[in-house]
């Protein structure tokens, strides 16, 4: 471990599930909703891609 590791900037988490939302402004809440909506779309696209791959594999081995 380097002596300088503590000097590196910590990556700020954009949103943590279950975190306290009471101190956020309406604009901050809107930004987080947009961020999470994009992440949901990314997860759904990956699920669709994997389902298609699995379906193709199932057809091949039938």
């Amino acid at each position: 471990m380097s002596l300088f590791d503590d000097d590196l900037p910590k990556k700020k988490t954009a949103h943590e599930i279950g975190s306290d939302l009471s101190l956020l402004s309406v604009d901050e809440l809107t930004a987080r909703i947009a961020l999470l909506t994009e992440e949901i779309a990314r997860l759904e696209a990956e699920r669709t891609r994997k389902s298609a791959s699995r379906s193709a594999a199932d057809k091949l081995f039938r």
Side-chain angles (χ1 to χ4, degrees), residues 17-53:
I17 303 298
S19 63
D20 181 16
L21 304 176
S22 64
L23 298 177
L24 298 177
S25 69
V26 171
D27 288 339
E28 290 171 319
L29 289 168
T30 301
R32 287 190 185 200
I33 289 168
L35 175 74
L36 292 169
T37 301
E38 290 173 11
E39 183 64 6
I40 288 167
R42 188 177 77 89
L43 289 165
E44 288 175 339
E46 183 66 13
R47 179 180 61 188
T48 300
R49 186 187 70 77
K50 288 187 176 197
S51 292
S53 294

Side-chain angles (χ1 to χ4, degrees), residues 5-16 35 42:
D5 287 345
D6 292 335
D7 294 337
L8 297 175
K10 304 278 191 246
K11 184 176 179 184
K12 183 179 177 187
T13 303
H15 181 77
E16 185 176 324
L35 175 74
R42 188 177 77 89

